[in-house]
């Protein structure tokens, strides 16, 4: 089997073996590590500047690092890391290598990312921009409306359109 499964110049095997392990070492939660990696991949999928990057792995690593920093700042931990490590909490994975998906799962992930990219690319430009501002930059509806000089109602319509298209995609890939 091909050891390099690429999407936008990113080796997904590298992303899910090495980068995911690095994120996990930083965050110490396998669920959040996956979320951060997936959010970083989504940012690349939506970003108009991500096409033809000279160093896509470095770009993905920086995005993931920034998301991990944001995660640490925004989430107040109920249990300290030392308690988790000492207590061997259920669900706490001590070996980052166990986080990595199988080669088959990597191919499925690549197919899903490509399908997601197609849906995002098929959105009208204004709809895609609203979706970016809302889901990636996390702006409020009113902020987006002001920034783009459109009504809040129109912002809601664009978000609804994008979410409906993405929901159709999700139904198709199940």
């Amino acid at each position: 089997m091909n050891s390099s499964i690429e999407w936008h110049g990113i080796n997904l095997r590298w992303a899910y073996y090495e980068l995911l392990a690095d994120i996990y070492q930083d965050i110490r939660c396998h669920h959040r590590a996956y979320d951060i990696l997936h959010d970083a991949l989504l940012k690349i999928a939506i970003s108009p500047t991500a096409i033809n990057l000279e160093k896509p792995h470095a770009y993905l690593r920086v995005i993931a690092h920034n998301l991990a920093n944001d995660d640490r700042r925004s989430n107040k931990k109920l249990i300290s890391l030392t308690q988790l490590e000492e207590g061997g909490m259920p669900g706490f994975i001590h070996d980052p290598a166990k986080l990595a998906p199988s080669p088959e799962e990597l191919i499925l992930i690549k197919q899903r990312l490509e399908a997601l990219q197609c849906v995002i690319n098929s959105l009208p430009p204004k709809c895609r921009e609203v979706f970016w501002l809302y889901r990636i930059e996390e702006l409020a509806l009113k902020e987006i409306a002001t920034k783009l000089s459109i009504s809040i109602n129109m912002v809601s319509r664009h978000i609804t359109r994008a979410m409906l298209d993405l929901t159709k995609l999700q139904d198709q890939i199940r």
Side-chain angles (χ1 to χ4, degrees):
M1 177 174 282
N2 185 0
S3 65
S4 175
I5 301 169
E6 291 206 2
W7 174 78
H8 280 279
I10 295 169
N11 182 326
L12 293 177
R13 185 175 302 278
W14 167 83
Y16 278 88
Y17 281 79
E18 293 183 32
L19 183 57
L20 182 62
D22 291 347
I23 296 167
Y24 170 78
Q25 290 296 331
D26 197 14
I27 297 296
R28 292 290 185 185
C29 173
H30 64 280
H31 298 294
R32 287 300 304 140
Y34 267 110
D35 287 347
I36 288 168
L37 179 57
H38 293 159
D39 288 350
L41 289 167
L42 180 62
K43 283 187 179 236
I44 286 178
I46 295 174
S47 173
T49 60
I51 299 171
N52 299 323
L53 286 172
E54 195 171 309
K55 296 181 179 180
H57 291 96
Y59 187 64
L60 180 62
R61 185 178 292 280
V62 168
I63 291 171
H65 175 75
N66 290 341
L67 289 171
N69 285 340
D70 292 345
D71 184 73
R72 265 194 312 284
R73 273 187 243 117
S74 66
N75 290 327
K76 304 236 185 300
K77 304 298 179 198
L78 298 176
I79 301 172
S80 74
L81 288 177
T82 54
Q83 288 173 315
L84 286 174
E85 289 167 351
E86 292 169 4
M89 299 288 289
F92 187 77
I93 298 175
H94 294 280
D95 183 4
K98 292 181 182 175
L99 292 173
S102 69
E104 293 81 12
E105 290 171 317
L106 282 175
I107 290 171
L108 288 173
I109 289 167
K110 178 186 178 191
Q111 291 170 346
R112 287 182 178 144
L113 286 169
E114 288 171 346
L116 172 66
Q117 186 69 55
C118 286
V119 169
I120 291 169
N121 289 344
S122 71
L123 293 172
K126 187 67 84 173
C127 184
R128 190 171 40 240
E129 185 177 13
V130 168
F131 181 74
W132 173 270
L133 293 171
Y134 182 70
R135 295 297 290 190
I136 303 302
E137 294 189 18
E138 299 178 346
L139 296 181
L141 299 180
K142 188 174 181 178
E143 291 174 302
I144 296 169
T146 302
K147 183 173 185 158
L148 300 179
S149 301
I150 59 176
S151 70
I152 294 174
N153 189 29
M154 189 50 100
V155 170
S156 294
R157 286 183 188 177
H158 285 308
I159 292 168
T160 301
R161 158 90 192 267
M163 296 308 289
L164 286 173
D165 286 359
L166 291 169
T167 301
K168 287 178 195 172
L169 168 69
Q170 183 178 10
D171 292 341
Q172 290 172 0
I173 61 175
R174 281 188 181 171

